[in-house]
Amino acid sequence: DDDFTLLQQTLERWDACANVEVAAIQCDPKKFEIARRVAADNMAKAEFYILADLGCVLDSPEALEGIEERAAGMNEALIGLAIKQPVTYTPKNGPVFHARFPDEYPTGVRICRKGAVEKWLPNQSGKYDQEHVESVKLAGGSVGLCPDILYNRLPRLNVQ
C-alpha cells in the first residue's frame, strides 16, 4: 500500500536523526487530525516536540540541531518550518505564487510547545492546520514561521 510505504520511508528518515524518539500515531480516521495532535502532546516528554505529517522529513538530519537551538529560545507555542521545494499555487483570481509557507501557517513539520492548547477547536478545514493555530491563539499562545529550517515532502510511490 502506498501510504504504508510512505510511512516506512518517513519513519526511517526521522530515525536517522540523532536524539529523536519517533512515534507513529494511529487513530480513528474521522478524528485523525485532532487525535494525533492530542496524542503527540500527551506523549511528549520535553517542553517542545516535533509534529510531522506523513511524508514530511527534515532536509537533513543535521537540521535537528537548528530545531533544538530554535526551541531553546522559543517564545512561540507553535512554529512551522519551511518547505525546501516551494509550493506553486494560484489563489482564486490571483497570480501564481511560489511559497515556502503556502498556507501562511504551520503545516508539514511543526515545533510544538507541550500543553500549549487548552481546548482543541473542531475540524472545519479537513487538514486542521488552521484550527491548530486558532487553538494555540485561543489559549494565549503565539505562532511563528521559521524560514531557516527546511523540510522536504517525500514523493508518493505508485505501488502496484
Side-chain angles (χ1 to χ4, degrees), residues 29 41 51 59 79 90 100 102 106 116 128 144 148 150-151 158-159:
D41 199 73
L51 179 70
D59 183 39
I79 292 182
T90 307
R100 292 198 186 280
Y128 205 76
D148 303 328
L150 304 178
Y151 75 91
N158 292 323
V159 178

Side-chain angles (χ1 to χ4, degrees), residues 75-152:
N75 294 321
E76 299 91 345
L78 176 65
I79 292 182
L81 305 187
I83 190 164
K84 183 175 183 177
Q85 188 65 22
V87 176
T88 302
Y89 69 102
T90 307
K92 292 179 186 172
N93 301 322
V96 173
F97 286 96
H98 303 285
R100 292 198 186 280
F101 301 105
D103 296 320
E104 298 181 20
Y105 44 78
T107 185
V109 179
R110 312 147 192 86
I111 306 170
C112 305
R113 182 184 301 271
K114 181 177 177 64
V117 174
E118 296 167 359
K119 180 182 188 301
W120 294 91
L121 297 174
N123 190 346
Q124 302 294 317
S125 67
K127 291 177 19 180
Y128 205 76
D129 294 320
Q130 186 172 356
E131 292 88 345
H132 191 167
V133 166
E134 292 169 9
S135 296
V136 166
K137 289 181 177 179
L138 183 66
S142 62
V143 177
L145 299 171
C146 181
D148 303 328
I149 305 172
L150 304 178
Y151 75 91
N152 287 312

Side-chain angles (χ1 to χ4, degrees), residues 26-80:
Q26 183 176 1
C27 333
D28 177 349
K30 294 176 189 164
K31 299 178 183 178
F32 177 74
E33 289 299 339
I34 294 175
R36 79 181 180 115
R37 286 166 166 82
V38 171
D41 199 73
N42 289 336
M43 293 169 60
K45 295 178 181 141
E47 181 180 6
F48 297 100
Y49 60 93
I50 299 169
L51 179 70
D53 295 346
L54 180 64
C56 294
V57 297
L58 293 178
D59 183 39
S60 70
E62 293 77 27
L64 186 62
E65 292 173 18
I67 289 176
E68 290 169 348
E69 288 174 15
R70 182 66 171 95
M74 185 168 150
N75 294 321
E76 299 91 345
L78 176 65
I79 292 182

